Amino acid sequence: MTPLQFSSDESQDERAARPLKPWRLAAFLLLAALAMSVWLTWPDGRSSAWRRVPRLSSTTTPGFSRDETPRPPSILFRECAAESGVRFRHFHGAQGRLWMPEMMGAGCAVVDLDGDSRQDLVFVNGCTFRDSGFASANDDSTATTAESPPGAALFRNLGSGRFEDVTAKSGLNAIQYGMGVAVGDYDGDGRVDLFFANLGPNRLFQNLGGGRFRDVTAAAGVAGRPEDWSTSCSFLDIDRDGDLDLFVANYGLWSPALETQIPFQERGRAGRDGKKNYLPPVALPSVDCRLYENRGDGTFADISNQAGIEVRADTSGRPASQALGVRPADLNGDGWLDLIVANDLAPQFLFLNQRNGTFRDVGREWGLAYDYLGRQIAGMGVDIGQAGRQNTPVIAIANLSKMGTCLFARRGEGDFVDAASELGLREPTLPMTGFGLFFFDYDLDGRLDMFQANGHVYSDEGAAFEGVARRQPCQLFWKAPPGTRPEYVATTAASRGPDFDRERLARGAAYGDLDNDGDLDIVITENGGPAQLFRNEQHLGHHWLRVRLAGQAPNTCAIGAYLRLKTGDRIVTREVMPTRGYLSQSELPVTFGLGESASVEWLEVVWPNGDRQRLERPTPDRELFVQQQAIGP
C-alpha cells in the first residue's frame, strides 16, 4: 500500500467529501501552529544564537508608511574608463588551481593625493602566488609564466575627466597580493598617505609630495603576520588624541601549503557532485582583526588584544572573525568612533567604543549579528545610510545570492532590525552576490541612494551546478521620498542607462566627483578584469554644495568630522569617512544635494575633537573649502 492509498473500501473522492469532525479540525490546526512555530525558530545549522527578529512596520518604527512610490528620475551613467585614460586590469594570479584568494578581487580609492582639488584614482592589484612570498620558485603548485604587475596603480586626475597613469614614477610599484586600501594623513604633514591590506605582509606608503611615495612599513610596524589574509582597512582616530590609528580586517590564515592540507572533498578542488569549486570561508583557520594605535612618532603599537576586538566563538573558543568589510561611525552619538565589521558566514561585529582605549562587541545585543531570519550573513561590503521621515540610520551589508542584502534600520538606542524586505532591498538583491556597496546622493535631491557591485564567488562549474549567474550586473537603488514604500527603488536601464547591466565579477567600488561638475561618479574594480568608470551625466538642475575640510594637524584630513546643513525646512547630516563598502575608499570631500533649493541657511562642522564651526549662508553650486579654526584656551 502506497502513502496515497487508503485502507478502507471507501473511495478517495467519498472520503474527501465527508465533513471533518470538530476534534479533527482542532487537532489539525494545533499541529499546523506547532509546525509553523518550529519552522520559524528552528536553526539552520549555522547560527549559534538563533532568534526570530520582528519585521519592521509602522508600529515598530515610526515614520514609515506604505504610500505609492514615485519613479526614479532619468539620469545617464556612462562607462568611460578607456576614453578617460584609465586602463587598468586586475590580476588575481589564477592558474587553474582554484586557490581561495583568486575569487575575492581587490579595492580602489578615490582620493586627492597631490592637493590640486582633483580626485585621483588608486587601484589595488594582485600578483602570482610565488611572487607573493608563499612558496619557493621550485614549488610547481605555484609555478607560472605570468609576470606580476605592480601591486597598485595610480592615475592622476588631469581635469576635464582625463587621467594619466603615473604608477611608474610614484614608488607604489612594489609587488604585493593586494586586497584593500585605506587613505589618511597618518603622520600629520598635510599629505594623504596610503595603506594596503594584503594577502601576506601589509604595506604603508608615506606621501612625500610631488606624486612620490615611500614604503615605511617596517619602521611603522604595521606589516602584520606573514600568513594573515588582510582585507578591508581604515584610518580613524579611536582615542580622540588627534592622530589617526589603523584598523585592519582579517579574513583568515592562508597559504598554498595550508589550503592544500585542508581535508575538504579532495583538498577543496571539487565541490558537490564533483563540480570544481572554491573552498567555503569556514574551511580557513580564523584569525583576529588587528588594531594599531598611532604613537605620534611615525610608529604604531598593536593593541588588538587589550582593545577588546579579539572575539571568540561560543563553542570552539577560536577567533570569531572572518572579516571582509569595515565601517567606522559614531553610532551612539557620544563623539567617539565605533566599528561595524562585516564577517563572512560568522556573526557581524559592532565594536562600541568604550572611550578608554577599548571596545565592546554589541552586535548581537543591538540586533546586527544576524539577518531577519536569524541566519549568519555572508557579509562583504558595509555602509550606513538613512531612511524614514526622521532619517533613521540604516546599515547595509552585502550578502550571498539567495539571501539578499541586509538593511538594518534603527528603532531606538541600541536596537536595530533587518528591514531589507520592507525598505525594498531584499527581493531585487536575492539573485546577486554583493560586494562593494555605498550610499551616496547621485541625483542631488538630498537623499542617500545606494549602489551595489555584484559578482558570484563560485567557479563557472560551481555556479552552473548551483543554478546562479556567476557574472552579474551592478545595481543602483534610488531613495524615494520618506513615507513611501518601498523607500529604495531598483532602477532600470530606462532611468540610468544600460551600462550597469553588463554582467561582471565586480568587487570594489567607490564614488567621487571625478570631473568637478558637482555630481558623483562611480569607480568599480572587476576580479580579473578591467576597472570601470561610470560618469554621472545628470541634468536635473538640482543645486548642490561640496565641502572640503582641512583639519588641524595631525588629522589634517578631518576623518571623523560631521557636517550639518540647513536648507529650507530640512537639516541634512553627512560625515567625512572614506572607508565604506568593500576593500575601498571614497572621496574625502562631502557633497550635499540641495534639490530645488537654491539657498543654504547655515552649515555647521563638528570637527573630530568636538569643536564646532558654523558658516552662515554659504553659496551653493560650488566647492567650499573650510579650515579648522583654533579654539582659544
Side-chain angles (χ1 to χ4, degrees), residues 79-235:
E79 204 290 305
C80 60
E83 70 181 72
S84 299
V86 178
R87 294 176 176 87
F88 169 82
R89 189 176 189 87
H90 176 254
F91 182 84
H92 50 42
Q95 294 294 308
R97 294 187 62 87
L98 297 182
W99 298 120
M100 291 182 70
E102 299 169 8
M103 65 180 170
M104 302 308 288
C108 58
V110 178
V111 56
D112 178 10
L113 290 172
D114 52 10
D116 63 358
S117 298
R118 294 193 291 262
Q119 301 302 312
D120 309 306
L121 300 176
V122 178
F123 295 100
V124 186
N125 214 350
C127 65
T128 67
F129 293 107
R130 179 183 59 196
D131 289 341
S132 65
F134 285 110
S136 68
N138 296 325
D139 185 352
D140 62 5
S141 70
T142 56
T144 175
T145 58
E147 293 185 4
S148 291
L154 173 58
F155 289 84
R156 182 172 180 263
N157 193 330
L158 303 176
S160 303
R162 299 288 301 171
F163 292 84
E164 175 190 10
D165 188 345
V166 295
T167 308
K169 59 184 179 183
S170 69
L172 296 175
N173 52 1
I175 293 176
Q176 59 189 0
Y177 202 102
M179 299 293 296
V181 58
V183 304
D185 181 9
Y186 85 95
D187 54 1
D189 64 358
R191 294 186 291 264
V192 182
D193 308 300
L194 296 171
F195 177 84
F196 293 96
N198 299 325
L199 179 68
N202 303 318
R203 279 194 168 97
L204 174 63
F205 287 87
Q206 182 186 38
N207 190 338
L208 303 177
R212 297 285 300 172
F213 292 81
R214 178 177 62 185
D215 187 342
V216 295
T217 309
V222 291
R225 293 178 296 182
E227 290 189 346
D228 281 359
W229 181 352
S230 299
T231 52
S232 291
C233 45
S234 178
F235 283 111

Side-chain angles (χ1 to χ4, degrees), residues 327-331 337 549 558 560-564 573-576 604-608:
R327 176 59 157 89
D330 178 9
L331 287 176
L337 287 175
L549 299 183
Y562 280 81
L563 298 89
R564 300 172 66 243
T573 303
R574 299 286 183 263
E575 61 182 318
V576 178
E604 182 182 58
V605 180
V606 182
W607 297 96

Side-chain angles (χ1 to χ4, degrees), residues 536-550:
N536 186 337
E537 298 186 349
Q538 63 87 24
H539 299 286
L540 299 176
H542 287 170
H543 298 282
W544 49 274
L545 179 68
R546 282 174 60 81
V547 184
R548 181 166 54 95
L549 299 183

Side-chain angles (χ1 to χ4, degrees), residues 368-380:
L368 288 169
Y370 308 101
D371 75 358
Y372 78 113
L373 287 177
R375 299 174 299 185
Q376 291 181 351
I377 302 164
M380 270 75 90

Side-chain angles (χ1 to χ4, degrees), residues 583-596:
L583 308 177
S584 300
Q585 307 275 294
S586 291
E587 66 174 1
L588 286 162
V590 170
T591 296
F592 287 95
L594 305 177
E596 298 179 357

Side-chain angles (χ1 to χ4, degrees), residues 268-517:
R269 296 300 135 234
R272 288 186 291 172
D273 198 35
K275 304 301 181 183
K276 291 184 178 179
N277 214 341
Y278 292 100
L279 281 171
V282 294
L284 282 179
S286 54
V287 62
D288 293 306
C289 299
R290 312 314 297 166
L291 181 62
Y292 298 94
E293 181 183 17
N294 192 330
R295 293 191 178 106
D297 59 359
T299 67
F300 291 80
D302 186 343
I303 62 169
S304 309
N305 181 264
Q306 60 264 39
I309 65 164
E310 296 184 350
V311 181
R312 294 292 174 265
D314 292 337
T315 54
S316 67
R318 295 193 298 266
S321 170
Q322 208 99 47
L324 288 175
V326 60
R327 176 59 157 89
D330 178 9
L331 287 176
N332 57 359
D334 64 356
W336 296 68
L337 287 175
D338 312 301
L339 286 163
I340 308 166
V341 178
N343 285 312
D344 189 2
L345 292 179
Q348 311 300 287
F349 296 154
L350 170 53
F351 292 117
L352 200 65
N353 197 324
Q354 302 299 291
R355 298 183 290 182
N356 58 4
T358 68
F359 292 80
R360 182 169 67 93
D361 177 25
V362 296
R364 300 185 192 190
E365 178 183 333
W366 283 34
L368 288 169
Y370 308 101
D371 75 358
Y372 78 113
L373 287 177
R375 299 174 299 185
Q376 291 181 351
I377 302 164
M380 270 75 90
V382 55
D383 198 14
I384 299 176
Q386 299 167 343
R389 292 191 177 95
Q390 287 82 36
N391 285 326
T392 302
V394 290
I395 299 171
I397 301 179
N399 205 354
L400 196 66
S401 64
K402 301 181 182 180
M403 296 180 71
T405 297
C406 296
L407 190 63
F408 294 93
R410 190 172 205 160
R411 299 184 299 182
E413 183 69 25
D415 185 15
F416 283 82
V417 61
D418 182 7
S421 293
E422 290 75 7
L423 294 177
L425 277 187
R426 177 157 285 111
E427 290 299 323
T429 57
L430 279 175
M432 308 299 176
T433 292
F435 277 89
L437 62 73
F438 53 73
F439 291 96
F440 73 139
D441 185 2
Y442 78 87
D443 58 349
L444 301 176
D445 64 357
R447 300 187 294 271
L448 290 176
D449 315 295
M450 199 192 89
F451 173 84
Q452 180 167 303
N454 301 312
H456 220 296
V457 295
Y458 290 153
S459 66
D460 288 329
E461 286 190 48
F465 179 77
E466 295 290 343
V468 296
R470 183 170 183 247
R471 298 181 178 274
Q472 301 173 348
C474 296
Q475 292 176 294
L476 180 67
F477 293 89
W478 178 64
K479 174 67 169 60
T484 57
R485 272 292 186 269
E487 279 205 38
Y488 291 93
V489 181
T491 63
T492 64
S495 61
R496 41 83 177 147
D499 286 359
F500 284 152
D501 292 337
R502 184 176 74 79
E503 294 180 340
R504 316 171 160 82
L505 291 176
R507 294 296 187 256
Y511 68 81
D513 183 4
L514 302 180
D515 49 6
N516 290 82
D517 63 353

